[in-house]
């Protein structure tokens, strides 16, 4: 689209019946998948393993698609383009650590979980430390997901509101009811196969908008030329100042720990990988996940440059045509869709697909954690499989409704990409630190893990919430790339000048630190405090820790006696990991 002043008017395209049909069709098929796996495809008893793990017979393709859909939410589809538009392409280099994280998962963390064959990843913390540490890990995970899912829901509701004019708080409950419905009925199998459908829709929507937008602007060369003229192309900002919002270093290093925390020890990832029949297939799934993430992130980032090339001379944010940067992509879709039937419907369906897949995965994984880590241990008598199924379905409904209610708070945050990573970093860094402490350091004891986890959450929570408060009060602002309204008509150009940038000295120096460092800070805090407390209160003898509880990376450095003792006690550790018998000792020793 070669933008001129005469064309700088709000989009006339409206969301018509065909768009609603495409969008509604996606929701209907998702619901029917849940019904199918609940009533038509059930060949096995409705057991806990079947509901949470798919009977551990899932294939590579659906699990791979489910993982891609789970970790690429609407935050990526809307947040990445607005990030490129407002701040430039420095964040694009996040694809580098995402590939490295997949390798780390396959070599370091997944072998431990696969050996233990546990339903909840936080059972590991009980086996390695004690029940109290497991409880802390489970609660931190639940807090993280209860913060993250409302943001994920808000994003597509914002897009839908932009293209239809319907209030986002009206559409949110309607769509979430569909998600809660099929997650409740079908369990993991329904979640995985709806994720597969939604991944296809998501890629189709993003690819269509990207290609049509590129053609409309005049080709890839025109997109890159206008982006270069607008100072959007920036990949190697090597500034070492930790206060700089995005540099090559904090995007690569910070995102490495962020993705490692989100993937390697996250219940959603572990639950799906353990649904595979072999560790080899699980590793293939992780590699496919890496390729899928790189593709969709790169497509979303490039789409941001396409949007900038379109609005380079008439910025819709400055002219108040849209309210927030996160509305850029839906507004753009309505601009280019004037003569393309069903494109807005396909786009909204893609964004909602990304959100629904993340929400359903979150609900399913939270249900597993709540049931296995909170409800089952609290029951003095065994729970029958029929009763367990009813309890898990009730849990899905309750936490789903709670997440919908929390959406009303999200609208008060800043840009969704930064807000999501800032808030989830409070708990995810500490969780990564607790698991890493147990897998890499056989000397760590339960008190060290508990102390490190609490300190990690407290420190990062103080920094993250303090930063969000400073951003809300405009004591901290982030300079954007230049925006132009020179090509706009006079009616849209008569706007007030942008507010003056805040003085960084007005905020505490830790609050000025880039949000991308939060996960690394949380992880290091847990490791340092955990090891210090462990050595002060009596470290565990490495010979008393089973190798099954330690990452294979350090096996060669363990004393030989540990290997012999491991062989003698392997059966007992397996019995404990599958829930038969009482709690293991609090120092990671098999009895």
């Amino acid at each position: 689209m070669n933008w001129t002043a005469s064309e700088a008017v709000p989009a006339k395209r409206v969301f018509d019946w065909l768009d609603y049909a495409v969008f509604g069709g996606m929701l209907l098929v998702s619901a029917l998948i849940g019904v199918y796996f609940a009533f038509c495809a059930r060949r096995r008893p409705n057991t806990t393993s079947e509901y949470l793990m798919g009977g551990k017979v899932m294939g590579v393709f659906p699990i791979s698609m489910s993982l891609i859909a789970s970790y690429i939410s609407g935050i990526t589809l809307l947040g990445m383009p607005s990030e490129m538009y407002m701040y430039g392409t420095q964040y694009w280099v996040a694809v580098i650590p995402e590939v490295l994280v997949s390798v780390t998962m396959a070599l370091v963390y997944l072998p431990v979980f696969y050996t233990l064959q546990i339903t909840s990843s936080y059972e590991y913390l009980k086996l390695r430390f004690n029940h109290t540490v497991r409880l802390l890990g489970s609660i931190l995970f639940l807090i993280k997901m209860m913060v993250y899912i409302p943001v994920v829901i808000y994003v597509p509701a914002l897009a839908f509101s932009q293209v239809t004019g319907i209030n986002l708080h009206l559409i949110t409950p309607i769509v979430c009811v569909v998600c809660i419905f099929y997650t409740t009925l079908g369990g993991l199998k329904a979640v995985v196969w709806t994720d597969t459908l939604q991944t296809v829709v998501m890629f189709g929507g993003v690819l269509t908008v990207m290609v049509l937008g590129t053609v409309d602007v005049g080709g890839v060369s025109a997109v890159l030329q206008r982006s270069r003229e607008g100072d959007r192309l920036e990949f190697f900002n090597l500034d070492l100042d930790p206060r700089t919002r995005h540099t090559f270093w904090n995007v690569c290093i910070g995102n490495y720990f962020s993705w490692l925390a989100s993937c390697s020890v996250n219940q959603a990832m572990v639950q799906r990988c353990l649904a595979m029949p072999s560790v080899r297939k699980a590793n293939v799934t992780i590699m496919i996940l890496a390729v899928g993430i790189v593709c969709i992130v790169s497509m979303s980032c490039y789409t941001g440059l396409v949007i900038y090339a379109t609005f380079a001379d008439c910025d819709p944010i400055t002219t108040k045509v849209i309210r927030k940067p996160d509305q850029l992509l839906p507004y753009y879709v309505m601009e280019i869709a004037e003569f393309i039937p069903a494109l807005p419907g396909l786009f909204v369906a893609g964004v909602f697909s990304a959100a629904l897949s993340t929400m359903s995965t979150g609900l399913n994984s939270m249900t597993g954690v709540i049931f296995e880590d909170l409800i089952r241990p609290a029951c003095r008598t065994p729970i029958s499989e029929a009763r367990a199924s009813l309890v898990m379905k009730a849990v899905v409904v309750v936490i789903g409704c709670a997440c919908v209610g929390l959406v009303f708070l999200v609208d008060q945050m800043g840009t969704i990409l930064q807000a999501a990573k800032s808030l989830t970093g409070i708990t995810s860094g500490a969780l990564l630190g607790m698991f890493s402490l147990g897998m890499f350091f056989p000397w760590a004891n339960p008190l060290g893990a508990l102390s490190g986890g609490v300190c990690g959450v407290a420190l990062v929570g103080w920094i993250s919430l303090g930063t969000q408060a400073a951003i809300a009060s405009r004591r901290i602002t982030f300079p954007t790339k230049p925006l132009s309204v020179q090509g706009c008509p006079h009616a849209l150009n008569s706007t007030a000048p942008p507010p003056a940038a805040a003085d960084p000295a007005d905020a505490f120096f830790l609050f000025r630190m880039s949000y991308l460092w939060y996960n690394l800070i949380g992880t290091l805090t847990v490791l340092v405090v955990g090891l210090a407390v462990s050595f002060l209160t009596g470290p565990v003898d490495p010979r008393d820790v089973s190798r099954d509880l330690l990452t294979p990376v350090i096996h060669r450095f363990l004393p030989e006696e540990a290997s012999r003792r491991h062989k003698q006690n392997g059966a007992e550790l397996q019995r404990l990991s599958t829930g038969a018998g009482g709690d293991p000792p609090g120092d990671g020793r098999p009895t």
Side-chain angles (χ1 to χ4, degrees):
M1 181 180 294
N2 191 10
W3 196 259
T4 63
S6 62
E7 295 169 325
V9 294
K12 295 183 175 62
R13 176 73 156 86
V14 296
F15 211 71
D16 59 24
W17 68 268
L18 189 58
D19 297 313
Y20 280 108
V22 172
F23 175 63
M26 184 272 295
L27 293 180
L28 178 61
V29 173
S30 297
L32 291 178
I33 290 175
V35 173
Y36 174 77
F37 282 105
F39 301 108
C40 303
R42 184 181 296 168
R43 298 186 180 92
R44 298 166 178 261
N46 191 19
T47 63
T48 303
S49 175
E50 182 73 13
Y51 190 82
L52 295 178
M53 311 293 286
K56 299 187 177 182
V57 293
M58 301 299 295
V60 171
F61 175 72
I63 290 292
S64 300
M65 296 300 100
S66 177
L67 288 174
I68 293 171
S70 302
Y71 288 97
I72 298 297
S73 66
I75 295 174
T76 301
L77 300 188
L78 293 189
M80 289 291 185
S82 65
E83 173 69 29
M84 301 300 109
Y85 186 97
M86 299 296 294
Y87 300 102
T89 59
Q90 183 59 73
Y91 194 84
W92 199 336
V93 299
V95 297
I96 298 174
E98 286 162 9
V99 174
L100 298 178
V101 164
S102 299
V103 177
T104 305
M105 287 170 53
L107 298 179
V108 176
Y109 293 95
L110 184 58
V112 177
F113 293 118
Y114 210 91
T115 299
L116 296 176
Q117 284 293 308
I118 50 184
T119 302
S120 167
S121 60
Y122 304 100
E123 290 180 57
Y124 170 83
L125 297 177
K126 174 184 174 182
L127 294 169
R128 176 63 179 86
F129 298 114
N130 61 20
H131 179 71
T132 305
V133 179
R134 172 186 181 176
L135 186 62
L136 174 63
S138 302
I139 292 174
L140 292 180
F141 168 75
L142 294 174
I143 293 174
K144 171 190 173 183
M145 296 306 295
M146 291 300 291
V147 170
Y148 183 64
I149 289 180
V151 179
V152 169
I153 300 171
Y154 168 79
V155 170
L158 183 70
F160 192 84
S161 175
Q162 175 66 32
V163 300
T164 65
I166 299 177
N167 188 290
L168 63 90
H169 296 303
L170 177 63
I171 189 61
T172 296
I174 298 174
V175 176
C176 290
V177 164
V178 176
C179 182
I180 295 170
F181 173 77
Y182 70 73
T183 305
T184 302
L185 284 183
L188 181 70
K189 285 186 177 180
V191 170
V192 166
W193 281 106
T194 51
D195 286 351
T196 302
L197 164 71
Q198 291 158 0
T199 300
V200 174
V201 175
M202 176 176 63
F203 269 93
V206 174
L207 183 62
T208 302
V209 172
M210 182 185 73
V211 172
L212 291 177
T214 300
V215 172
D216 210 28
V217 169
V220 176
S221 59
V223 172
L224 297 179
Q225 179 181 351
R226 296 185 190 182
S227 299
R228 188 179 301 108
E229 293 172 352
D231 193 28
R232 262 38 184 201
L233 301 183
E234 179 185 33
F235 295 99
F236 297 101
N237 179 356
L238 302 180
D239 187 359
L240 296 176
D241 188 346
R243 297 172 300 178
T244 304
R245 182 174 179 270
H246 285 165
T247 67
F248 178 82
W249 306 114
N250 63 27
V251 171
C252 286
I253 300 174
N255 260 307
Y256 174 81
F257 284 92
S258 176
W259 273 94
L260 193 62
S262 298
C263 297
S264 61
V265 300
N266 189 294
Q267 168 67 12
M269 171 64 74
V270 174
Q271 191 172 334
R272 275 150 184 73
C273 287
L274 294 186
M276 306 294 294
S278 69
V279 69
R280 185 185 66 83
K281 289 188 175 181
N283 286 332
V284 171
T285 298
I286 292 175
M287 294 303 111
I288 297 175
L289 168 66
V291 174
I293 289 176
V294 169
C295 290
I296 195 68
V297 167
S298 296
M299 290 165 60
S300 296
C301 290
Y302 175 76
T303 301
L305 297 183
V306 173
I307 297 174
Y308 174 75
T310 302
F311 298 131
D313 293 331
C314 188
D315 171 47
I317 303 173
T318 304
T319 57
K320 307 299 184 184
V321 175
I322 59 177
R323 183 170 60 93
K324 301 180 70 173
D326 302 315
Q327 293 174 305
L328 275 166
L329 182 56
Y331 174 74
Y332 173 71
V333 169
M334 298 304 288
E335 286 289 340
I336 67 172
E338 185 173 357
F339 304 106
I340 306 174
L343 179 60
L346 177 63
F347 163 73
V348 172
V351 177
F352 261 110
S353 292
L356 290 177
S357 61
T358 304
M359 181 181 180
S360 61
T361 298
L363 294 179
N364 187 255
S365 58
M366 280 196 291
T367 299
V369 170
I370 291 173
F371 182 77
E372 294 292 340
D373 296 350
L374 302 181
I375 296 177
R376 192 190 289 274
C379 295
R380 296 184 177 181
T381 58
I383 304 177
S384 66
E385 291 294 346
R387 185 181 177 188
S389 176
L390 292 176
V391 170
M392 288 186 290
K393 291 176 180 179
V395 170
V396 172
V397 174
V398 171
I399 58 179
C401 293
C403 289
V404 174
L406 292 173
V407 173
F408 291 89
L409 300 178
V410 179
D411 198 31
Q412 308 303 316
M413 297 180 181
T415 58
I416 53 176
L417 182 65
Q418 178 166 338
K421 285 190 171 292
S422 298
L423 295 177
T424 57
I426 297 175
T427 57
S428 57
L431 285 171
L432 176 62
M434 292 167 66
F435 279 94
S436 300
L437 184 70
M439 292 185 186
F440 281 92
F441 302 97
W443 310 278
N445 64 25
L447 184 58
L450 192 63
S451 303
V454 172
C455 290
V457 171
L459 177 60
V460 178
W462 172 57
I463 296 174
S464 178
L465 296 178
T467 302
Q468 288 296 311
I471 293 174
S473 63
R474 299 200 60 80
R475 288 182 292 123
I476 294 179
T477 57
F478 302 101
T480 64
K481 296 295 184 179
L483 301 170
S484 174
V485 292
Q486 293 180 355
C488 296
H490 178 72
L492 292 179
N493 200 20
S494 57
T495 57
D503 183 359
D506 292 342
F508 186 61
F509 77 98
L510 284 178
F511 298 163
R512 303 197 301 270
M513 182 183 303
S514 173
Y515 68 97
L516 292 174
W517 294 116
Y518 291 173
N519 282 280
L520 176 58
I521 293 173
T523 301
L524 291 179
T525 301
V526 174
L527 296 180
V528 171
V529 174
L531 288 174
V533 172
S534 295
F535 280 105
L536 289 174
T537 58
V540 175
D541 188 339
R543 295 171 297 181
D544 292 333
V545 181
S546 171
R547 285 195 171 196
D548 285 350
L549 297 170
L550 302 172
T551 175
V553 174
I554 69 166
H555 282 183
R556 69 182 69 180
F557 305 109
L558 297 175
E560 183 61 25
E561 292 182 38
S563 177
R564 290 198 297 268
R565 191 170 304 188
H566 159 65
K567 293 177 182 178
Q568 296 170 0
N569 296 284
E572 178 67 9
L573 178 63
Q574 183 64 29
R575 182 181 69 84
L576 292 169
S577 67
T578 55
D583 289 353
D587 57 2
R589 286 178 274 189
T591 55

